[in-house]
Amino acid sequence: MAAHPVDEKLPALKMATSGLQHVAAMYAGVVAPPLIVGAAVGLSATDLTFLTGACLFTAGLATFLQTLGIWKIGARLPFVNGVTFAGVAPMTAVVASTEDKSDALPIIFGAVIVAGLLGFVAAPFFSKAIRFFPPVVTGSVITLIGVSLLPVAFGWAQGPDPKADDYGSTTFLALAGITLLIVLLLRRFTRGFVKQIAVLLGLIVGTLVAIPFGVTDFSPVAHADVVGFPTPFHFGAPQFQLAAILSLCVVMVVSMTESTADMLALGEIVERPADERTIAAGLRADTLGSALSPLFNGFMCSAFAQNIGLVAMTRIRSRYVVATGGGFLVLMGLCPMAASLIAVVPRPVLGGAGIVLFGSVAASGIQTLMRAGLERDNNVLIVAVSLAVGIIPITAPEFYHAFPETAKIVLDSGISTGCITAVVLNLLFNHLGKGREAHDVTHPMEAGEEIAAVH
């Protein structure tokens, strides 16, 4: 019996190039949190490089846990794990509230360890929420994941520094457009392996095109060390502070919610639906990876949604491809010079490729919604309100400015708020009570029979 595409082992060259493509797609997302937090702490350039390499190393270990798995740990789906961006705001808040900045990272690491261990214990209970995720909910959430990621691609397309005078210049936008065009042409006019690595080829060609414009910076390669190892507890032994622990526990709940949605999305895409057992195993990998990450000076880990778009577009569903990508991440953590090669790719070039990747996620969500029974007005309302609530942090970033910082950790995540809204509305409209039947109205703006009778 032939292996499922998820369990397929591809030829070595195809495995390596496809895995590298996954790394290229998520690299910016992994290095951004340590750069932001490290800058807030006031780390030297050497320590900042060390912290970034440590996060790459721990992302690779967490990816191994998720894709290959051990015991009941790991969804064994093509998931890339890395530092969750949801933790950036509370971690910088911890830094700001710490008088001696040398204690900031140990306090953060201690909070991540506790949050990870508590999440690991809670994983099997959290996974039981699977029954509250029918297609109308999963489709809404998958669509939101794609829509929430698109602004990231648009930001990349405008340049590396929002405060720079040339941010959003025609040069940057042209490079993003050229990269996008290259990817589209490769997808349209090539076949087989070349078609499947179209994003990687687009990134390479886009980087080469950027060289004459002076946008490609090779200095990271010149100044990077060949060998480096993330020494355990390099910044000091973990410290355990209640306020920081509570804050990171909230982030862990948000992360677990998003990971559940990501697993459901990826399960649909690879045609191996994620059941309760798969979600529990996947959440265990996320939380255990997070708990172990501070040992090597890394932060909280979670599944990376942007790589779902790559799986959806390339149709390469092998988890071993992503595990190979995890191997590259580990090597980058051990070899800063290798990590710097990915850093050479200009941000606008990443933005052009990101439009395809993240748009593919949203398209997958729409495909799921097509099976969600949208001929019923209840389901249309669930989708409409869930998408609206989920888009709030994107279209109106200051919408929740009056709320406490702890609440904003959840509210500023459109994926989390949209997911919660979809689950609650699905329970309200499709499960609770015996109110008006869903098939009485076919469109939310169309009058029901009793209203028509009055007229």
Side-chain angles (χ1 to χ4, degrees), residues 42-291:
L43 296 181
S44 64
T46 303
D47 277 343
L48 197 57
T49 302
F50 180 92
L51 184 64
T52 303
C55 287
L56 288 168
F57 180 78
T58 53
L61 296 181
T63 300
F64 285 152
L65 270 180
Q66 194 67 270
T67 53
L68 302 179
I70 53 171
W71 185 57
K72 296 181 179 180
I73 300 169
R76 292 169 174 81
L77 289 172
F79 258 126
V80 174
N81 272 43
V83 182
T84 174
F85 212 90
V88 171
M91 286 193 294
T92 52
V94 169
V95 174
S97 63
T98 305
E99 290 187 16
D100 186 350
K101 299 305 178 188
S102 64
D103 290 331
L105 286 176
I107 289 172
I108 290 171
F109 292 149
V112 171
I113 290 172
V114 175
L117 292 176
L118 290 176
F120 185 85
V121 173
F125 305 100
F126 203 92
S127 67
K128 294 186 183 300
I130 181 66
R131 59 178 172 274
F132 302 123
F133 287 83
V136 68
V137 174
T138 56
S140 300
V141 174
I142 296 168
T143 304
L144 263 177
I145 291 171
V147 172
S148 298
L149 288 170
L150 278 171
V152 176
F154 300 149
W156 288 346
Q158 295 178 81
D161 185 5
K163 297 179 181 179
D165 293 336
D166 60 353
Y167 186 71
S169 67
T170 53
T171 300
F172 288 155
L173 297 183
L175 288 172
I178 289 169
T179 305
L180 173 60
L181 181 62
I182 292 167
V183 174
L184 293 176
L185 290 175
L186 287 171
R187 292 289 298 176
R188 174 63 183 86
F189 295 108
T190 62
R191 292 185 177 183
F193 182 51
V194 174
K195 182 176 182 178
Q196 291 175 325
I197 62 167
V199 173
L200 180 61
L201 294 176
L203 292 173
I204 293 172
V205 176
T207 301
L208 295 175
V209 170
I211 292 175
F213 295 95
V215 177
T216 306
D217 181 14
F218 289 97
S219 62
V221 180
H223 295 100
D225 294 328
V226 177
V227 179
F229 183 78
T231 314
F233 301 131
H234 175 80
F235 297 100
Q239 300 178 26
F240 302 96
Q241 191 182 87
L242 183 60
I245 289 171
L246 292 175
S247 180
L248 269 297
C249 281
V250 173
V251 175
M252 180 57 74
V253 172
V254 173
S255 175
M256 292 172 75
T257 302
E258 292 188 359
S259 286
T260 299
D262 290 344
M263 278 183 266
L264 291 166
L266 189 60
E268 292 285 338
I269 290 169
V270 302
E271 298 175 359
R272 179 183 275 182
D275 56 15
E276 183 178 320
R277 182 181 298 177
T278 301
I279 290 175
L283 292 177
R284 285 192 189 99
D286 271 5
T287 52
L288 181 61
S290 295

Side-chain angles (χ1 to χ4, degrees), residues 20 79 179 345 367 377 397 402:
L20 190 59
F79 258 126
T179 305
V345 179
Q367 287 179 323
D377 71 319

Side-chain angles (χ1 to χ4, degrees), residues 316-328:
I316 297 178
R317 295 175 278 181
S318 171
R319 60 192 173 103
Y320 295 105
V321 164
V322 177
T324 303
F328 281 122

